[in-house]
Amino acid sequence: MKSHPLDALAQQLVAPDRGILAADESSGTIEKRFQAVGIPSTEITRRDYRELLFSSPGIDQYLSGVILYEETLSQIGRDGRRLVQILEDRGILPGIKVDRGIKPLPGQPDESVTEGLDGLHERLAAYRGQGARFTKWRAVIRVDEERPSSLALKANAEVLARYAGLVQEAGMVPIVEPEVLMEGSHDLDRCETVTTAALDQLFMALKAYRVRLEALVLKPNMVVSGTQCNRPASVETVAQATVQTLARTVPAAVPGIAFLSGGQSPEQATQHLDAINRLATRLPWRLTFSFSRALQEPPLRMWAGKEDRIRQAQELFSQRVRLNSLASMGRYHPDLEKVA
Ligand code: 5MM
């Protein structure tokens, strides 16, 4: 079979022992995260925080890429280099969130579709010119007794596929993120059913739009019980359900799967990733991380905007990245947290 230059880039993103940092919080989301630890959200604090993360020691051994928000792409760090340059100098690929967030889906109360296709073709060329090598688009699937509707699954799959096709044409690798939310009282079986339906729809749409499966990275949720479920599933059960769901839905042509953390605690997300990789020894794709909160919570809390805490915050971040790298190879142990 003929290979395509983008295939190698997709493989680089999910290379063994590497994962992806999602640092693409939009202005509203980062403001919420900053507020929780008492930091005002300004262009400068956002830049300082991201510079802190990107210059943390040792992360270049474990991160293949970082997903950025548009603002970050053009920001210049305190050391005079563009933040993108800091990543490039360390061999870490810069990526960019290109969706414009979720909007209500007409006629479907409490359901959404992600927007951002208008003008995307032109924006992609500009992002590529600014150094972006890959992109991300997130669809949000809400779960309760009546949701998701088949319309919500279809509408989101359709825009994800159109997005992915445009990105590949622009010479970048699309990360395709259909997130089934953890929020809710649903159990693990319900999450499995919904995740299966979302991924089935997604791959149908990707094929219909002739998206090259070898040149994308899938960013799904793990199959977990809802945050308010009164029968939380064990680590083993999460790993088994996640692996089984992916094995049933994701074609072997896809080079890698990089999970979102979705509101799990940092330790929980790492434990799940590890258990998944211990089970998934004969599966065709690499299984790694593309976490935001599960990587950033400890350093953000430590930093809290204080100049004299930068070093400690960086150490916590580097440690989290390293532990997840181990988990992506099934080599993590909770005892390593104590050492940290
Ligand atoms: C960092 O958050 C990303 C962008 O979200 P907003 O548009 O709401 O600001 C988000 O897509 C993120 O990349 C993924 O959901 C993964 O983050 P978590 O925290 O679930 O690992």
Side-chain angles (χ1 to χ4, degrees), residues 11-330:
Q11 282 158 19
Q12 193 181 335
L13 278 170
V14 292
D17 81 11
R18 306 272 161 150
I20 298 165
L21 163 68
D24 58 320
E25 298 83 0
S26 55
S27 306
T29 302
I30 194 92
E31 187 166 7
K32 261 194 277 167
R33 307 259 191 277
F34 275 14
Q35 247 170 21
V37 293
I39 312 170
S41 180
T42 67
E43 202 194 321
I44 300 297
T45 54
R46 294 192 290 271
R47 181 207 64 181
D48 288 350
Y49 174 58
R50 276 142 179 175
E51 189 172 5
L52 174 160
L53 294 178
F54 305 167
S55 36
S56 294
I59 56 164
D60 43 337
Q61 289 174 61
Y62 310 116
L63 286 183
S64 56
V66 175
I67 314 170
L68 306 169
Y69 186 56
E70 200 169 17
E71 174 187 73
T72 317
L73 207 51
S74 51
Q75 276 180 323
I76 296 173
R78 292 205 269 189
D79 77 352
R81 284 179 298 167
R82 286 176 60 215
L83 296 194
V84 167
Q85 190 66 46
I86 297 179
L87 295 174
E88 283 170 349
D89 289 350
R90 306 187 76 181
I92 300 172
L93 296 168
I96 172 86
K97 165 195 171 76
V98 303
D99 67 69
R100 295 287 200 206
I102 59 172
K103 295 283 150 48
L105 185 62
Q108 298 296 142
D110 297 325
E111 293 200 294
S112 63
V113 65
T114 306
E115 288 197 345
L117 287 175
D118 286 351
L120 182 59
H121 182 76
E122 291 73 21
R123 282 198 286 131
L124 289 175
Y127 297 145
R128 183 72 193 88
Q130 287 174 285
R133 306 293 306 283
F134 69 98
T135 66
K136 195 205 78 179
W137 180 292
R138 171 173 174 251
V140 176
I141 315 291
R142 207 184 130 188
V143 188
D144 61 21
E145 275 156 29
E146 280 141 39
R147 277 162 278 259
S149 62
S150 53
L151 190 69
L153 293 178
K154 212 167 160 217
N156 278 294
E158 183 96 359
V159 284
L160 272 168
R162 284 180 60 192
Y163 140 81
L166 283 171
V167 170
Q168 289 183 342
E169 274 180 15
M172 291 180 280
V173 168
I175 294 187
V176 177
E177 180 181 4
E179 175 171 4
V180 175
L181 292 180
M182 257 175 88
E183 282 80 35
S185 54
H186 56 277
D187 62 9
L188 175 129
D189 289 348
R190 178 86 178 122
C191 180
E192 179 170 337
T193 305
V194 173
T195 305
T196 303
L199 292 175
D200 279 344
Q201 278 290 339
L202 173 65
F203 282 100
M204 243 179 345
L206 289 169
K207 284 176 202 162
Y209 280 90
R210 297 194 175 80
V211 175
R212 188 173 172 86
L213 299 180
E214 292 81 357
L216 63 80
V217 172
L218 177 68
K219 176 166 172 168
N221 51 285
M222 296 175 189
V223 175
V224 290
S225 31
T227 39
Q228 276 97 51
C229 176
N230 46 23
R231 286 171 292 126
S234 67
V235 171
E236 256 326 286
T237 313
V238 167
Q240 277 163 5
T242 303
V243 167
Q244 187 172 65
T245 302
L246 296 172
R248 287 176 172 170
T249 53
V250 183
V254 171
I257 295 173
F259 293 103
L260 59 94
S261 58
Q264 302 176 55
S265 73
E267 295 78 11
Q268 204 178 32
T270 311
Q271 249 183 310
H272 284 154
L273 180 63
D274 182 68
I276 287 167
N277 273 289
R278 283 174 196 264
L279 270 185
T281 47
R282 286 183 14 249
L283 291 171
W285 356 261
R286 265 273 301 149
L287 290 154
T288 188
F289 59 94
S290 173
F291 300 156
S292 165
R293 285 164 286 181
L295 285 174
Q296 295 189 49
E297 265 168 19
L300 179 60
R301 243 183 292 124
M302 171 60 75
W303 177 55
K306 302 202 172 62
E307 193 69 23
D308 60 348
R309 298 229 198 127
I310 291 178
R311 271 275 294 282
Q312 286 148 291
Q314 287 183 320
E315 274 163 23
L316 283 181
F317 177 60
S318 302
Q319 185 65 15
R320 218 51 262 149
V321 170
R322 191 177 75 83
L323 294 179
N324 280 297
S325 161
L326 288 172
S328 77
M329 297 179 294

